[in-house]
């Protein structure tokens, strides 16, 4: 399979090619590795390549097919993971220089293992913000991830390598994590899809945590169908993660064909309108129109939700790294260090206030879903900001991108709600919308996301430059 | 919260937590403390009596 052809295919397409014998898993793995070599450094997306493992796992898929075995749903699909996930044999960096000293992981994180069991072929680990603290992925140790749609701009964060690897057509599937928006912000800024499931739906065992009471993990892809394939493969209880719910697998795939008939869809107004820039509002209007969403939904006390989430994140994150802050503070990325040090000084009563507010907010959000099935909101206030920018303009106010590109995502993570993010077609840089559903109703959020693709307003595309650059010259 | 308040807060909590704040980092940490205090002020007007049980809930 030629690298250019490979780059445009999604996970479902590639798995179908392997099943039908149109392509071997080895050919596909080699095409993926060729793009990792060509484009990985250009966008600074990868921090490790698992070449031997990829070729070995691909060979196992091909051997299974040769034996006439039924292949699992992601057989032969290359994927890569944010480098906070344990990968057997690799040191889990979590974007930090301090972690380089640690021994390699001895086993894969649960979700990595589940994707591998579903036949997916791991090709590497991806760059991210240090300890997932920020929305730009301008990492002081490993460099900034460049957005394939405009290399002078950020890919978003903290899962910046995960979104860039998709937009560059290097892999069709990546994993990210989302504490306050770290799947949704980079997905939107790179024009790809992301799913932040309900808090507790997917196991975080083997993932380096950031703020445990807010941490989620989830898939990122270039289509909703692929998002669902990966999500379904990763579901299931896991006693090794205290937050992971003891729920049966609830496949979302059967729901994708249901469309949106009968769904009550509303557009988030108030805070969400005020904190969206003009281009984001335009993208949201396109999505709302395509979904026939005419009602408006006002969410309760969103400013306070963001404030409480800020305090919980800073406090839990600082506590997690307190030992290193005492002895190795100089080795942190300066941007995370200063925030963690301040977070370590938060009085316990403030943290508890924030958690008490969270309980109130959660109950109010449940009440909102008595009247609506899906809430649509812009994913980011603005498109990707230039690398190195210290501020972006939002209706005349200067906002720092590292902390404020997530203005529209915090509240939904704070409430632990499932959110699918998809790109919306437009004339400029990529932008996305969030489709938010009630707890445990990922299927509903994904139905609405798929409806936007079917309506023709959402297409995740490989960046044109990446498509050209990833094509070797004719020999 | 005034800058002086933040300075006192930083010195007291750094000592209590065993954190050495390099002079070069002090301004950055102070700026973040001020931001945290701002966020807590946003929470301050909330009627906490309406949510009396602090989370997370402990399950034995």
């Amino acid at each position: 399979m030629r690298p250019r052809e490979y780059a445009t295919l999604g996970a479902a397409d590639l798995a179908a090619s392997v099943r039908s014998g149109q392509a071997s898993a080895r050919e596909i793995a080699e095409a993926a590795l060729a793009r990792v070599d060509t484009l990985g450094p250009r966008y600074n997306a990868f921090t490790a390549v698992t070449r031997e493992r990829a070729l070995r796992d691909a060979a196992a898929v091909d051997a299974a097919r040769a034996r006439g075995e039924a292949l699992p749903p992601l057989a032969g699909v290359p994927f890569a993971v944010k480098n906070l996930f344990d990968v057997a044999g690799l040191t889990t960096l979590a974007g930090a220089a301090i972690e380089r000293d640690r021994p390699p992981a001895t086993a894969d994180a649960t979700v990595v293992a589940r994707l591998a069991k579903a036949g997916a072929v791991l090709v590497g680990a991806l760059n991210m913000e240090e300890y997932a603290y920020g929305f730009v992925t301008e990492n002081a140790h490993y460099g900034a991830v460049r957005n394939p749609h405009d290399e002078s701009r950020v890919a978003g964060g903290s899962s910046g390598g995960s979104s860039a690897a998709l937009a560059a057509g290097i892999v069709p599937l990546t994993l990210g994590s989302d504490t306050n928006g770290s799947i949704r912000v980079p997905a939107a800024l790179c024009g790809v899809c992301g799913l932040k499931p309900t808090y507790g739906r997917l196991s975080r065992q083997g993932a380096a945590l950031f703020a445990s009471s807010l941490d989620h993990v989830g898939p990122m892809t270039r289509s909703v169908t692929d998002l669902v394939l990966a999500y379904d493969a990763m579901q299931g209880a896991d006693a090794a993660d205290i937050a992971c719910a003891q729920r049966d697998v609830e496949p979302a795939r059967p729901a994708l064909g249901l469309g949106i008939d009968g769904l009550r869809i509303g557009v988030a107004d108030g805070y969400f309108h005020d904190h969206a820039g003009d281009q984001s509002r335009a993208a949201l209007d396109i999505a709302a129109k395509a979904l026939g969403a005419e009602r408006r939904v006002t969410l309760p006390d969103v400013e306070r939700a963001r404030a409480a989430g800020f305090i919980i994140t800073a406090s839990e994150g600082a506590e997690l790294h307190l030992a290193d802050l005492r002895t190795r503070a100089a080795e942190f990325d300066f941007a995370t260090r200063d925030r963690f040090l301040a977070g370590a000084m938060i009085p316990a009563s403030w943290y508890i206030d924030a958690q008490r507010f969270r309980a109130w907010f959660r109950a109010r959000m449940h009440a909102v879903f008595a009247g609506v099935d899906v809430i649509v909101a812009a994913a980011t206030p603005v498109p990707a900001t230039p690398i190195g920018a210290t501020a972006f303009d939002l209706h005349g106010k200067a906002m720092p991108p590292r902390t404020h590109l997530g203005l529209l995502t915090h509240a939904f993570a704070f409430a632990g709600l499932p959110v699918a993010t998809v790109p919306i077609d437009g004339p400029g840089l990529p932008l996305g919308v969030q489709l938010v559903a009630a707890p445990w109703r990922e299927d509903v959020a994904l139905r609405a996301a798929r409806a936007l693709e079917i309506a023709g307003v959402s297409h995740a595309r490989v960046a044109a430059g990446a498509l050209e650059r990833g094509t070797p010259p004719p020999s | 919260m005034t800058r002086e308040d933040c300075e006192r807060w930083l010195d007291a909590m750094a000592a209590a937590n065993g954190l050495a704040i390099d002079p070069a980092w002090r301004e950055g940490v102070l700026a973040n403390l001020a931001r945290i205090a701002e966020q807590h002020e946003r929470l301050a007007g909330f009627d906490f009596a309406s949510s009396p049980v602090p989370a997370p809930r402990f399950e034995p």
Side-chain angles (χ1 to χ4, degrees):
Chain A
M1 179 173 283
R2 292 174 189 276
R4 185 189 172 106
E5 182 193 0
Y6 157 79
T8 59
L9 296 175
D13 304 320
L14 291 166
S17 297
V18 172
R19 267 195 301 277
S20 69
Q22 199 181 338
S24 69
R26 183 180 175 96
E27 280 176 81
I28 291 170
E30 283 174 344
L33 291 166
R35 287 187 73 82
V36 172
D37 292 342
T38 317
L39 296 173
R42 184 172 192 103
Y43 301 113
N44 199 25
F46 281 76
T47 53
V49 183
T50 53
R51 187 177 308 276
E52 282 180 24
R53 171 176 170 158
L55 295 174
R56 188 186 66 228
D57 289 355
V61 170
D62 289 334
R65 186 176 184 279
R67 291 192 298 270
E69 293 175 14
L71 296 181
L74 292 166
V77 173
F79 77 111
V81 300
K82 187 175 185 175
N83 70 27
L84 58 65
F85 290 96
D86 282 354
V87 170
L90 292 185
T91 292
T92 306
L93 294 175
I98 288 173
E99 305 296 327
R100 284 174 184 149
D101 301 345
R102 320 272 196 228
T106 54
D108 290 346
T110 294
V111 286
V112 176
R114 286 180 179 171
L115 287 180
K117 191 176 174 197
V121 171
L122 183 76
V123 299
L126 298 159
N127 202 354
M128 59 177 282
E129 290 273 18
E130 185 181 61
Y131 294 124
Y133 209 170
F135 292 114
V136 289
T137 315
E138 295 184 51
N139 186 305
H141 315 299
Y142 303 100
V145 176
R146 288 179 279 281
N147 191 319
H149 291 278
D150 179 343
E151 293 175 41
S152 70
R153 292 176 186 265
V154 300
S158 63
S159 311
S162 304
S163 58
L166 293 165
I170 299 173
V171 283
L173 166 63
T174 62
L175 290 185
S177 67
D178 189 315
T179 305
N180 289 302
S182 285
I183 285 175
R184 293 162 288 155
V185 169
L189 299 186
C190 285
V192 300
C193 306
L195 175 68
K196 183 203 81 62
T198 308
Y199 181 77
R201 171 73 86 176
L202 296 183
S203 170
R204 308 162 314 165
Q205 184 280 329
L209 296 178
F210 168 23
S212 180
S213 75
L214 294 164
D215 287 334
H216 309 66
V217 299
M220 300 168 73
T221 62
R222 291 192 302 269
S223 76
V224 176
T225 301
D226 287 357
L227 210 54
V228 170
L229 271 178
Y231 165 63
D232 284 352
M234 291 189 287
Q235 285 191 50
D238 184 1
D241 175 8
I242 194 170
C244 191
Q246 298 298 307
R247 294 177 74 93
D248 291 336
V249 173
E250 297 169 312
R253 197 174 183 193
L256 272 197
L258 297 178
I260 53 170
D261 285 350
L263 291 184
R264 299 162 299 168
I265 303 176
V267 177
D269 67 3
Y271 172 94
F272 291 92
H273 178 79
D274 297 344
H275 291 81
D278 292 340
Q279 290 166 279
S280 294
R281 287 177 183 172
L284 177 61
D285 287 345
I286 292 169
K289 193 175 170 193
L291 293 169
E294 289 175 359
R295 70 180 80 194
R296 294 288 179 267
V297 182
T298 303
L299 306 183
D301 237 336
V302 178
E303 288 272 12
R304 276 203 183 110
R306 183 166 179 271
F310 190 98
I311 288 169
I312 293 169
T313 303
S315 189
E316 290 187 11
E319 197 281 333
L320 195 61
H321 298 292
L322 198 53
D324 285 330
L325 289 168
R326 285 180 179 136
T327 56
R328 304 177 69 178
E331 296 171 64
F332 280 72
D333 184 327
F334 71 94
T336 39
R337 181 195 60 219
D338 293 356
R339 283 189 288 167
F340 278 145
L341 285 170
M345 299 175 187
I346 292 174
S349 62
W350 292 17
Y351 175 82
I352 292 170
D353 283 352
Q355 288 285 13
R356 286 170 72 170
F357 177 78
R358 191 180 189 193
W360 177 90
F361 186 75
R362 170 185 172 275
R364 293 304 170 282
M365 287 303 298
H366 285 199
V368 167
F369 281 104
V372 69
D373 299 304
V374 179
I375 299 169
V376 194
T380 58
V382 293
T385 50
I387 291 172
T390 54
F392 65 85
D393 177 80
L394 184 63
H395 307 307
K397 279 190 180 171
M399 308 263 178
R402 187 181 288 271
T403 50
H404 283 58
L405 281 172
L407 277 174
L408 304 175
T409 52
H410 282 88
F412 302 128
F414 186 66
L417 301 171
V419 189
T421 302
V422 293
I424 295 298
D425 297 346
L429 289 164
L431 280 166
V433 294
Q434 302 179 87
L435 301 139
V436 189
W440 314 112
R441 296 311 306 267
E442 286 85 352
D443 59 323
V444 170
L446 290 160
R447 278 168 65 189
R450 177 70 183 133
L452 290 172
E453 289 181 335
I454 290 170
V457 301
S458 176
H459 300 93
R461 292 188 177 87
V462 174
L467 211 49
E468 296 308 319
R469 287 187 198 99
T471 307
S475 52
Chain B
M1 191 173 278
T2 65
R3 183 181 168 90
E4 289 68 32
D5 292 335
C6 282
E7 296 258 15
R8 277 196 298 273
W9 178 17
L10 185 153
D11 290 331
M13 291 302 289
N17 268 328
L19 295 166
I21 309 296
D22 187 293
W25 314 337
R26 192 172 174 88
E27 281 307 313
V29 179
L30 280 169
N32 280 288
L33 280 179
R35 206 165 292 144
I36 288 167
E38 243 177 68
Q39 304 307 315
H40 186 253
E41 278 164 25
R42 286 213 168 98
L43 272 183
F46 180 69
D47 173 20
F48 284 101
S50 67
S51 180
V53 181
R57 186 181 57 175
F58 175 72
E59 290 185 47

